[in-house]
């Protein structure tokens, strides 16, 4: 964390923190006290009492290390979560600044995906592949739009003005994660499926990655994804949120893998899975150690009672889908479940994205909102229930900015008088931003003609 938070100064323009710091991952080898008289026994068949004493000695040697390792890992995880939240906030602020120059910019030196010219579609990687990558693999660059599950990502190219970016769905090779349910199937999530997806989402959503497509079937592409030089599949397996797929394991057992590089990769994944199981991490953790709250995909409760129960309180939520720039599908994290609901931002109305009848700039506004909010963590305040069942009116707060104000200022939304009364602090700020966007004739106001003064 000292390197990530830049506590240590740079010398001669170089980061020398690696001299004093190290990453805390890998294995710990603990050796019990060895007696010289026992060495000859290593060359003979062990007796059961001697083996029992060896196990007991090993347990006594490991016990003093356990508390220290648990504390160290807890500290590392806490710092990682704080850094992830800070980087997400900085990325959102950067995006706001790029679209609306007069908004304050938060600059922490983090490399942001949407600021780079090379993200025009799928661009070749300019850095050497990692040791886990076949040297013949063509690496490309993209931004992670969202994580569909613990082993599948949707990748996109860069936003270029008002053009929709190219997208593709990629499943990580050789691994599998528990299956998430869908509202259509009407079945629950597989155990650990949502926690697995959340682990992946928090680490890669909105970030620039390098990827390579290795093979494809009729409807799926499989490949490698790297984030900051780290193989994402290996990270998932090592932390216990995915496992080696049955197909890959069978090919390994039969010796049917393509070449030595693929065999080494699959063996490394198998070894990482065994370590995760032994360490009881992720999916292999004991009951109660992992968030087991169910996802409720359809809101069928009393909307008025829900508003009364949560009025005036900020609730943590994740943006799961952007219907239009001002209407979001959220997973609201309640004490008993992850409740899915639809939220209309109070005080603003974005162009409609109805199929075959989209209003001007509807797609552009939705793309911009997706780039800034999709699969990001936000805080929401529920103000009222809309006329449509399961739809609520409220405000959305991101740590780095107010998305409703940005939409209005950028000319992607207008003030909605019908819900303006639910804007925290009143709608005057939105009205001022709308007047400024109208005067600048940006986006939805492009053809606006100011009334002639008498």
């Amino acid at each position: 964390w000292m390197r990530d938070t830049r506590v240590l100064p740079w010398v001669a323009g170089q980061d020398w923190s690696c001299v004093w710091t190290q990453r805390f991952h890998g294995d710990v080898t603990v050796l019990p006290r060895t007696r010289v008289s026992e060495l000859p026994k290593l060359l003979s068949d062990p007796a059961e009492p001697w083996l029992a004493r060896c196990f007991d000695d090993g347990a006594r040697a490991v016990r003093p290390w356990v508390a220290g390792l648990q504390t160290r890992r807890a500290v590392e995880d806490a710092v990682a979560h704080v850094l992830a939240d800070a980087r997400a906030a900085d990325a959102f602020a950067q995006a706001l600044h790029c679209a609306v120059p007069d908004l304050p910019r938060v600059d922490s030196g983090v490399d942001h995906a949407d600021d780079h010219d090379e993200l025009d579609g799928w661009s070749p990687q300019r850095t050497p592949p990692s040791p886990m990558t076949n040297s013949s693999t063509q690496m490309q660059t993209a931004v992670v739009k969202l994580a569909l599950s613990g082993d599948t990502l949707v990748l996109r190219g860069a936003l270029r003005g008002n053009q929709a970016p190219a997208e593709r769905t990629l499943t990580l090779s050789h691994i599998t994660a528990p299956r998430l349910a869908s509202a259509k199937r009407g079945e629950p999530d597989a155990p650990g499926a949502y926690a697995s997806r959340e682990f992946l989402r928090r680490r890669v959503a909105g970030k620039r990655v390098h990827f390579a497509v290795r093979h494809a079937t009729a409807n799926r592409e499989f490949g490698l994804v790297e984030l900051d030089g780290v193989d994402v599949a290996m990270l998932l397996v090592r932390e216990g949120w995915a496992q080696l797929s049955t197909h890959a394991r069978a090919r390994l057992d039969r010796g049917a893998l393509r070449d030595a590089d693929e065999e080494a990769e699959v063996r490394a994944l198998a070894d990482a899975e065994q370590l995760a199981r032994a360490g009881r991490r992720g999916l292999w953790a004991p009951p109660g150690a992992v968030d087991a709250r169910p996802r409720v995909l359809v809101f069928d409760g009393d909307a008025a009672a829900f508003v009364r129960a949560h009025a005036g309180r900020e609730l943590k939520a994740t943006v799961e889908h952007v219907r239009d720039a001002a209407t979001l599908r959220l997973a609201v994290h309640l004490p008993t479940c992850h409740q899915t609901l639809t939220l209309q931002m109070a005080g603003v109305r974005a162009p409609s994205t109805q199929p075959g009848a989209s209003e001007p700039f509807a797609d552009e506004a939705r793309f911009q909102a997706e780039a800034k909010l999709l699969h990001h963590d936000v805080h929401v305040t529920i103000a009222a229930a809309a006329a449509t069942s399961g739809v609520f009116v409220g405000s959305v707060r991101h740590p780095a900015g107010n998305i409703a104000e940005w939409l209005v200022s950028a000319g992607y939304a207008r003030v909605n008088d019908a819900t303006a009364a639910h804007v925290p602090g009143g709608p005057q700020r939105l009205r001022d931003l709308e007047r400024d966007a109208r005067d600048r004739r940006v986006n939805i106001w492009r053809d606006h003609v100011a009334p002639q003064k008498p």
Side-chain angles (χ1 to χ4, degrees):
W1 66 269
M2 295 177 69
R3 174 174 47 247
D4 292 333
T5 53
R6 299 190 176 185
V7 172
L8 299 176
W10 285 30
V11 179
Q14 297 294 321
D15 182 8
W16 293 83
S17 61
C18 59
V19 176
W20 299 280
T21 61
Q22 62 178 331
R23 290 193 178 275
F24 299 117
H25 62 76
D27 304 327
V28 176
T29 302
V30 180
L31 295 176
R33 182 179 301 173
T34 303
R35 301 173 180 85
V36 177
S37 60
E38 294 176 344
L39 294 179
K41 296 181 181 180
L42 299 176
L43 304 177
S44 60
D45 292 335
E48 188 172 333
W50 181 71
L51 275 179
R53 187 160 55 80
C54 288
F55 282 123
D56 188 54
D57 289 346
R60 282 200 298 267
V62 169
R63 197 171 295 117
W65 288 81
V66 172
L69 291 173
Q70 289 177 336
T71 301
R72 200 168 206 173
R73 183 175 179 83
V75 171
E76 182 185 357
D77 288 345
V79 171
H81 288 152
V82 171
L83 288 173
D85 291 343
R87 286 167 179 157
D90 184 65
F92 185 84
Q94 183 89 354
L96 290 181
H97 174 76
C98 292
V100 189
D102 59 343
L103 288 177
R105 176 175 179 169
V106 180
D107 188 1
S108 66
V110 177
D111 199 14
H112 298 293
D114 287 339
D115 295 340
H116 293 268
D117 293 337
E118 68 265 25
L119 295 179
D120 191 4
W122 316 113
S123 305
Q125 178 183 352
R126 296 185 176 89
T127 55
S130 75
M132 294 298 294
T133 306
N134 189 307
S135 59
S136 63
T137 301
Q138 176 65 39
M139 299 294 286
Q140 303 177 73
T141 304
V143 177
V144 177
K145 177 181 178 180
L146 58 92
L148 288 177
S149 65
D151 59 12
T152 302
L153 301 171
V154 176
L155 308 177
R156 66 165 176 82
L159 298 175
R160 285 287 174 258
N162 292 331
Q163 298 298 316
E167 293 183 6
R168 74 194 313 160
T169 301
L170 189 68
T171 299
L172 300 174
S173 295
H174 306 314
I175 70 169
T176 183
R179 186 178 182 182
L180 283 167
S182 70
K184 293 181 180 178
R185 290 197 299 265
E187 60 187 21
D189 293 337
Y194 187 67
S196 174
R197 199 290 304 262
E198 285 294 274
F199 178 87
L200 180 59
R201 177 190 68 82
R202 290 193 179 103
R203 278 152 183 78
V204 302
K207 295 183 180 179
R208 186 176 58 166
V209 296
H210 299 301
F211 76 98
V213 178
R214 287 173 163 171
H215 68 279
T217 61
N219 57 358
R220 298 179 75 183
E221 288 185 322
F222 297 83
L224 166 77
V225 176
E226 290 185 351
L227 173 66
D228 297 331
V230 177
D231 182 355
V232 174
M234 177 59 74
L235 173 66
L236 285 162
V237 174
R238 189 179 66 221
E239 295 300 322
W241 295 113
Q243 59 184 316
L244 192 65
S245 68
T246 303
H247 180 64
R249 195 182 302 277
R251 291 176 64 207
L252 178 64
D253 294 340
R254 296 196 313 267
L257 295 169
R258 184 177 59 250
D259 52 33
D261 288 337
E262 186 178 29
E263 181 177 353
E265 180 178 351
V266 174
R267 286 193 183 280
L269 289 169
D271 292 342
E273 180 184 334
Q274 290 302 316
L275 290 173
R277 287 175 181 267
R280 308 188 76 182
R281 296 195 292 268
L283 302 172
W284 323 117
V290 176
D291 181 10
R293 287 175 293 174
R295 284 194 311 153
V296 181
L297 299 179
V298 177
F299 184 88
D300 57 2
D302 186 335
F306 186 85
V307 173
R308 289 193 299 271
H310 302 288
R313 294 170 46 201
E314 277 199 336
L315 305 174
K316 292 183 179 180
T318 301
V319 179
E320 298 284 354
H321 175 68
V322 177
R323 193 182 77 184
D324 61 52
T327 306
L328 308 176
R329 190 80 167 156
L330 303 171
V332 180
H333 308 306
L334 301 175
T336 57
C337 67
H338 303 283
Q339 175 66 62
T340 301
L341 54 81
T342 300
L343 185 80
Q344 294 178 345
M345 295 186 201
V348 298
R349 177 189 177 279
S352 172
T353 56
Q354 305 243 344
S358 292
E359 297 177 348
F361 291 95
D363 292 334
E364 295 89 331
R366 186 182 72 236
F367 296 147
Q368 294 288 343
E370 282 183 347
K372 294 162 180 58
L373 288 179
L374 186 59
H375 266 207
H376 284 68
D377 291 323
V378 296
H379 290 81
V380 299
T381 303
I382 308 296
T388 306
S389 176
V391 179
F392 296 85
V393 177
S395 57
V396 179
R397 182 178 66 83
H398 188 281
N402 185 312
I403 188 64
E405 292 182 359
W406 177 83
L407 288 168
V408 173
S409 180
Y412 287 125
R414 65 184 74 224
V415 175
N416 183 3
D417 292 328
T419 59
H422 300 299
V423 177
Q428 188 56 47
R429 168 68 174 165
L430 292 176
R431 298 190 191 281
D432 292 341
L433 292 172
E434 181 186 58
R435 182 173 58 254
D436 177 68
R438 192 168 54 238
D439 292 343
R440 290 184 285 117
R441 300 175 68 181
V442 294
N443 295 323
I444 63 174
W445 306 109
R446 181 181 58 187
D447 300 324
H448 173 73
V449 178
Q452 297 291 329
K453 294 184 179 180

